[in-house]
Amino acid sequence: MSYQRVKFYQTGTFTVGNRLLDESDRTVQARMDRTNSLNAGHRACQGCGEALGARYALDAVMRATRQQMVAVNATGCLEVFSSPYPESAWQIPWMHSLFGNAPAVASGVAAALRAKGRTDVRVIAQGGDGATVDIGFGCLSGMFERNDDVLYICYDNEAYMNTGVQRSGSTPPRAWTNTTQAVGTNPGNPMGIGKNLPRIAMAHGIPYVATASVADLHDLEAKVTKAMSIRGARYIHIHVPCPLGWKSDPAHTIKVARLAVESGLFPLFEAEGGEVTDRTPIRKKVSVEQYLELQGRFKHLFHPRDERALETIQAIADANIHRYQLLPLKA
Amino acid sequence: MKHHIEGSQAVAHTVALCRPEVMACYPISPQTHIVETLSRKVKAGEIGNCQFLNVESEFGALSVLIGASAMGARTYTATTSQGLLFMAEAVYNAAGLGLPIVMTIANRALGAPINIWNDHSDSMSMRDAGWIQLFAQDNQEAADLHIQAFRLAEELSCPVMVCMDGYILTHAYEVVDLPTQEQVDAYVPAFEPVQVLDPQDPVSIGAMVGPEAFAEVRFLAHHKHVRALEAIPRLSQAFQDIFQRRSGGLMDTYHTDNAETLLLALGSVNGTIKDAVDELRKEGWPVGSIALCAFRPFPSHALRHVVQDAKRIIVFEKDLAVGMGGIVSSDVKMALQGLPIIVDTVIAGLGGRPIPKASVIDTVKQACLEGLEEPHFLDLNWDEINRELTRQQAQRRSGPTAENLLREVGPPGTKPV
């Protein structure tokens, strides 16, 4: 198989990329010489945040490595919608083994490259939040601890969407899923903050950790590009809305993702060697309610209004804003 | 050159000569001496540019090898018992993907109750995973089978388990003729993968396959094993040509000509069985024995040919299909269907229980004179069993069975086994 030619539907317009930026800073997707890691024709749902995030992330890796890359994929939506035999949408060497072992498989690819003395080819691993924070967590921690030369990308849609929306260790407090139903005295996911994998990754002291969102694809590309300039274990956690599981309008995927960032619920930051080195300030702070009310999975917080839940979720956002200094400090 | 050497050391030394490129290992007794030795060899730079990864679990170990093998590297690991169960999902995956990984199984019992001693329950639990399973009779064969395993695995693009009895072989010091690098290089060619993650020629490996092609993919996995039935004896002969000794092959026969009763077993117990055959022959019993080396693929056709004139086969097996009986004997019965041959199942050696020659001889005589119940358990302590059954009938909360039996039996060594 050889690489297919990319079709430019928007050639000659300024809709992709930012014409005000210097050409070298423009988004990878805006370049005439870009490649496509994930081709059109795959079977993701309308408005899928993961498909968007994965294509931008991997296209950036392709560009950073001059197409000398290998991708390892955990079982999950991304694997299923992209690969039904014989209709693979992947334009790169791509491997799927199991749900819980993508980090270890990628470690093996990296080890094989070391054994063969090849420094030109790089490996990335990717999976959803279930594969990352739950079932593959042991292998991921092992890969971090050994500092294997792997970039692991988690596409976090906050539940097991491929199996039909069940709770994961990344499901936010009070969210409805099919295993945290909106019934009883404490409807939705029991309170708690879930597993904060970016911070757990930082605790391993690995060279690079970042969070990103499909609401800021230019920032996402920049972080992936930066990650690929570094050797060793790297981790990027990308927030990807899922219209199916979040019960949100597919047309609102970017809007919902942006409100998560602007409310402080999903802080965007970078960390090197375990220390936060940069963060994206919130331009215009919004309340968590504005984020939550666009999603049917939180409907029970508004009918009737659950003030205690809303206050607790707002407190989580405020704590993030304080921790990562997402707003200018008041004089 | 001949060395007086521990089985694990012999295997580690031999694996190193096979020029592995990536090894990922996790400690579990009784395979640890193998990977400890290999880790030292890698660190000392004795195995070229080989990478040795200390991983977080057996599941991680085999998963690392899945990635490394798909990247075109020669890969190796060792495990046993609970470790093999913990990597079970990856065991099936490696075979399903057709990755030629070689793994030593230092055969050990499965818990509960936890038991570190030898039987074959672990590798038997993975018998349908799609791996070729070869069983070594002694440490010379254990070492030699690894050389054959790399060539066999890579020729067929199919993973191979080399099974050697935990402690009985792994920790036993025997004289082993260790090969030279030149001999191994002459036998094991460079690894030419049939599929590889190559940016110059990108492919998707591990795609989802639905009902339209799944059965065909599984058939082709079976077909690979059918081809292995031809490859295993051929590679054993090619081995003999270079190394001047016989190792491996589908099976090893002992006094099978004109034998009315044949004993069949896997692994190191064949040493005891051959001694038993010698004694029985001296007493005039027309017996012989078969040591199965290849358990997967199962050499049905070759077995039928060897046993066609026998009247009875007694399968001594170190495993138990709970609720059914024998695992090996079931396969033997399947292989011999239609032939007028009685197949007996003797469950023996579970959890490291010794299989004394006298017990083997008594069992053979009993089988030939009176017949055996199916399955027959060798040397069971019926007093202990009956006391526990009585306790269980007497009261609902009879307590944990294993602890009750241990209390009766007393500390190790205080009562004769």
Side-chain angles (χ1 to χ4, degrees):
Chain A
M1 193 183 95
S2 58
Y3 293 97
Q4 289 182 17
R5 256 179 63 83
V6 174
K7 293 174 218 151
F8 280 96
Y9 297 104
Q10 295 171 314
T11 303
T13 77
F14 293 116
T15 41
V16 181
N18 186 341
R19 70 185 192 276
L20 298 175
L21 287 173
D22 184 80
E23 188 150 352
S24 64
D25 290 333
R26 285 187 197 172
T27 184
V28 171
Q29 298 291 333
R31 292 172 185 273
M32 292 298 287
D33 61 348
R34 82 174 169 95
T35 53
N36 239 8
S37 53
L38 181 62
N39 248 4
H42 60 68
R43 302 175 186 188
C45 306
Q46 193 179 27
C48 174
E50 185 174 35
L52 180 66
R55 184 163 65 82
Y56 271 70
L58 266 59
D59 284 356
V61 176
M62 268 184 114
R63 180 174 163 73
T65 61
R66 299 170 194 273
Q67 304 185 25
Q68 299 301 298
M69 65 169 295
V70 169
V72 176
N73 215 125
T75 310
C77 279
L78 178 59
E79 170 259 328
V80 170
F81 75 62
S82 67
S83 84
Y85 177 86
E87 298 165 344
S88 176
W90 295 101
Q91 294 288 293
I92 50 175
W94 178 91
M95 181 175 195
H96 160 249
S97 172
L98 296 168
F99 199 3
N101 72 353
V105 173
S107 289
V109 171
L113 290 166
R114 270 201 311 281
K116 292 175 181 299
R118 292 196 67 169
T119 54
D120 54 331
V121 181
R122 308 291 300 279
V123 57
I124 72 111
Q126 55 185 351
D129 49 294
T132 306
V133 315
D134 287 347
I135 198 168
F137 183 64
C139 287
L140 184 65
S141 178
M143 186 274 277
F144 286 163
E145 170 272 320
R146 292 187 302 271
N147 198 27
D148 290 330
D149 189 21
V150 174
L151 167 62
Y152 188 97
I153 302 171
C154 170
Y155 304 104
D156 184 5
N157 56 22
E158 303 183 337
Y160 290 89
M161 302 313 186
N162 192 41
T163 44
V165 195
Q166 295 86 21
R167 181 199 185 273
S168 81
S170 185
T171 299
R174 303 311 291 271
W176 162 91
T177 70
N178 274 314
T179 50
T180 55
Q181 300 273 353
V183 294
T185 52
N186 215 3
N189 192 27
M191 277 302 189
I193 58 165
K195 217 183 273 188
N196 189 329
L197 206 41
R199 294 195 72 77
I200 295 171
M202 286 165 62
H204 288 75
I206 58 174
Y208 186 71
V209 174
T211 60
S213 167
V214 288
D216 192 343
L217 292 165
H218 193 63
D219 176 67
L220 186 160
E221 285 179 337
K223 284 167 174 165
V224 171
T225 305
K226 182 168 181 181
M228 294 313 294
S229 73
I230 299 167
R231 293 271 171 179
R234 291 141 289 144
Y235 180 74
I236 297 182
H237 193 101
I238 304 177
H239 200 225
V240 291
C242 169
L244 175 86
W246 295 13
K247 298 187 175 182
S248 55
D249 188 333
H252 286 168
T253 292
I254 303 299
K255 184 178 182 182
V256 168
R258 180 169 296 117
L259 290 170
V261 171
E262 299 281 289
S263 65
L265 277 176
F266 193 84
L268 298 181
F269 65 93
E270 292 178 285
E272 293 179 42
E275 299 298 329
V276 174
T277 53
D278 203 359
R279 79 279 184 278
T280 304
I282 291 173
R283 278 191 297 182
K284 181 176 156 235
K285 192 192 170 195
V286 299
S287 71
V288 295
E289 278 186 47
Q290 288 170 269
Y291 168 66
L292 301 173
E293 68 190 4
L294 285 180
Q295 305 171 54
R297 63 174 173 160
F298 293 111
K299 191 170 68 179
H300 53 281
L301 299 186
F302 299 97
H303 306 287
R305 270 184 79 83
D306 185 340
E307 291 297 347
R308 193 172 61 87
L310 292 169
E311 280 168 19
T312 311
I313 296 170
Q314 185 63 54
I316 293 170
D318 292 343
N320 282 338
I321 290 168
H322 178 73
R323 171 183 267 168
Y324 298 101
Q325 299 174 27
L326 300 177
L327 287 172
L329 292 173
K330 285 178 186 126
Chain B
M1 193 179 157
K2 290 188 175 173
H3 295 259
H4 190 246
I5 191 171
E6 191 202 34
S8 297
Q9 305 287 329
V11 166
H13 186 82
T14 309
V15 167
L17 293 177
C18 295
R19 302 187 187 277
E21 292 172 288
V22 176
M23 300 192 269
C25 302
Y26 190 83
I28 179 168
S29 300
Q31 63 81 23
T32 38
H33 290 181
I34 301 173
V35 299
E36 284 170 1
T37 306
L38 285 167
S39 82
R40 183 177 56 72
K41 284 175 176 288
V42 169
K43 204 142 188 241
E46 294 171 20
I47 320 183
N49 202 23
C50 181
Q51 305 292 310
F52 185 98
L53 275 70
N54 282 295
V55 293
E56 73 292 333
S57 70
E58 288 90 355
F59 177 68
L62 190 53
S63 297
V64 164
L65 300 192
I66 286 169
S69 187
M71 200 64 217
R74 181 169 291 162
T75 52
Y76 171 82
T77 191
T79 192
T80 174
S81 185
Q82 315 298 133
L84 184 62
L85 291 193
F86 200 73
M87 64 165 66
E89 196 187 6
V91 171
Y92 273 75
N93 191 252
L97 293 172
L99 297 171
I101 297 162
V102 172
M103 173 159 68
T104 308
I105 305 297
N107 285 113
R108 173 184 144 180
L110 296 175
I114 186 168
N115 176 299
I116 63 167
W117 307 107
N118 167 243
D119 68 33
H120 294 162
S121 306
D122 50 3
S123 48
M124 287 295 158
S125 76
M126 292 295 124
R127 75 181 171 169
D128 301 331
W131 288 58
I132 290 168
Q133 292 190 345
L134 306 175
F135 281 76
Q137 291 185 67
D138 54 32
N139 283 339
Q140 182 69 61
E141 189 166 50
D144 294 348
L145 282 177
H146 283 85
I147 306 171
Q148 298 181 29
F150 279 106
R151 181 157 162 193
L152 178 65
E154 291 171 11
E155 180 178 316
L156 296 170
S157 206
C158 180
V160 178
M161 284 181 201
V162 179
C163 305
M164 63 190 292
D165 286 316
Y167 295 109
I168 296 171
L169 292 183
T170 56
H171 287 55
Y173 279 75
E174 289 184 332
V175 174
V176 177
D177 192 352
L178 293 175
T180 64
Q181 185 68 66
E182 292 69 34
Q183 285 175 311
V184 176
D185 286 347
Y187 184 82
V188 184
F191 175 30
E192 279 288 337
V194 300
Q195 55 182 344
V196 67
L197 295 165
D198 179 5
Q200 305 311 317
D201 184 17
V203 291
S204 298
I205 299 177
M208 188 172 177
V209 176
E212 68 283 359
F214 191 81
E216 284 73 15
V217 174
R218 297 311 297 157
F219 172 82
L220 289 167
H222 177 69
H223 181 68
K224 224 176 243 188
H225 274 234
V226 173
R227 284 170 57 205
L229 287 171
E230 172 275 323
I232 291 167
R234 171 168 50 79
L235 295 182
S236 172
Q237 182 58 51
F239 183 90
Q240 191 168 355
D241 294 344
I242 292 177
F243 298 85
Q244 308 302 322
R245 62 175 171 271
R246 190 193 177 280
S247 273
L250 296 174
M251 64 187 75
D252 175 30
T253 56
Y254 190 70
H255 291 311
T256 46
D257 288 344
N258 307 317
E260 286 181 15
T261 299
L262 289 168
L263 288 64
L264 184 146
L266 309 176
S268 65
V269 74
N270 280 292
T272 307
I273 285 178
K274 284 174 184 173
D275 285 351
V277 166
D278 288 344
E279 277 204 33
L280 285 161
R281 283 248 162 196
K282 260 189 229 161
E283 293 178 27
W285 295 78
V287 298
S289 71
I290 299 166
L292 268 196
C293 178
F295 177 64
R296 283 293 178 273
F298 195 83
S300 301
H301 186 76
L303 187 64
R304 277 177 81 92
H305 181 72
V306 167
V307 307
Q308 55 192 349
D309 297 326
K311 291 180 178 160
R312 177 184 293 274
I313 295 185
I314 308 173
V315 179
F316 285 81
E317 53 184 300
K318 295 180 171 185
D319 56 66
L320 172 64
V322 178
M324 169 60 190
I327 298 173
V328 182
S329 64
S330 295
D331 286 2
V332 170
K333 284 173 193 171
M334 177 81 112
L336 304 188
Q337 59 181 325
L339 294 180
I341 300 174
I342 298 165
V343 179
D344 292 315
T345 308
V346 179
I347 307 293
L350 295 185
R353 175 72 62 91
I355 304 178
K357 184 175 64 179
S359 299
V360 173
I361 290 171
D362 288 349
T363 306
V364 172
K365 289 179 179 172
Q366 190 188 338
C368 294
L369 298 174
E370 310 157 25
L372 293 175
E373 77 279 22
E374 179 66 26
H376 177 81
F377 285 78
L378 190 76
D379 293 343
L380 274 190
N381 185 335
W382 278 105
D383 291 344
E384 303 296 345
I385 289 169
N386 287 329
R387 274 198 289 274
E388 174 63 8
L389 290 174
T390 307
R391 265 192 300 273
Q392 289 178 4
Q393 276 188 331
Q395 53 182 330
R396 174 73 196 157
R397 190 179 282 197
S398 57
T401 298
E403 284 69 9
N404 288 344
L405 285 187
L406 285 178
R407 202 176 299 119
E408 295 267 352
V409 172
T414 56
K415 284 186 188 175
V417 176

